[in-house]
Structure formats: structure tokens, C-alpha cells
Amino acid sequence: VGLLSVTGLNVQSQTVVPYGTDSQVYVNLAWNDISVPSDVITDDPPIGYYTSFTKDGTNYTSEAYTDGTTAMIGPLAMGQTITFAVRAVTLLGTLGAYSTTSFTTTLDNAAPGQPSTPTATPYLGQVRVF
């Protein structure tokens, strides 16, 4: 099981997407791939990962399988604390220990900057505004 420990679990990016009068956040996570050293012979190699997350610190979502080392979760609310868990699984169903990370989704509440003052120039009997 020690060989099945997931390392490097971290948030790669967060994307805020407008949704009606509010916004939603999608979070991309990544972790290091588990590989069996070349001098180890096994009939039960790692084949993928189970991922889940919780919004309240207690109730986790159903585990989702992936054979990659990234996952996207969302939609989530802005400013929400999430705990994400991942563990490795082998060909014969052996499960590794959970690796977890907690983070708070971004607050995209900064107003856009003030636009620059427009300029107008004559152009072929018309006015061009920039």
C-alpha cells in the first residue's frame, strides 16, 4: 500500500464562469503519477485513481474513477472551502490511502477597470471613435 501513496496533490487553476446574475467556479486539480519501480515485479499494478470532494468537510461525493492525474470539479460557489481526496487503485482492486487538499475557491468580485477616454478623428466625411 505504501507504493500507492498519491503525492503532489494541488490546485492547478480556477476558472470563474458567469452564470445568470452570479458566477460559478471550476477547479482543476493535479497530482503525481504513481509508477512501479522497474525492479519491482507485481501482478497487481496501479491502473488509476478514485477522486471525490466535500463542500461541508464531512459528506464526500461518490468516488469517480480516472486513469489520468488531473480532475476538474465544479460548478462551485465563489468563496467556498472544498476538500478534495484522491487515492490510487490497482488492477486487482487494492486501494491506496487518501491524499487530501483543502482550498477556498476564488472571489472574483473586483470590478473591471475604467475604460480609457475615447478619441474621435475625422475620416472620409465621418467621425471615427477609438
Side-chain angles (χ1 to χ4, degrees):
V1 174
L3 292 174
L4 296 179
S5 297
V6 172
T7 61
L9 179 58
N10 66 84
V11 175
Q12 292 289 301
S13 65
Q14 298 184 59
T15 304
V16 178
V17 178
Y19 182 73
T21 59
D22 203 2
S23 295
Q24 298 175 331
V25 181
Y26 290 83
V27 178
N28 292 301
L29 297 118
W31 55 90
N32 297 328
D33 193 21
I34 291 182
S35 59
V36 176
S38 60
D39 61 341
V40 173
I41 298 172
T42 181
D43 60 352
D44 193 19
I47 59 167
Y49 306 91
Y50 284 120
T51 65
S52 63
F53 67 93
T54 178
K55 297 178 183 181
D56 63 11
T58 303
N59 300 303
Y60 279 82
T61 61
S62 297
E63 289 186 311
Y65 175 80
T66 180
D67 59 2
T69 57
T70 62
M72 182 181 73
I73 59 172
L76 304 167
M78 291 190 302
Q80 186 172 38
T81 300
I82 303 295
T83 300
F84 183 77
V86 62
R87 64 180 172 167
V89 61
T90 67
L91 182 64
L92 299 178
T94 304
L95 297 171
Y98 283 107
S99 177
T100 62
T101 188
S102 293
F103 58 93
T104 301
T105 58
T106 188
L107 284 173
D108 187 16
N109 56 3
Q114 181 176 354
S116 60
T117 304
T119 58
T121 58
Y123 178 75
L124 298 173
Q126 300 176 6
V127 177
R128 182 181 278 179
V129 179
F130 297 96

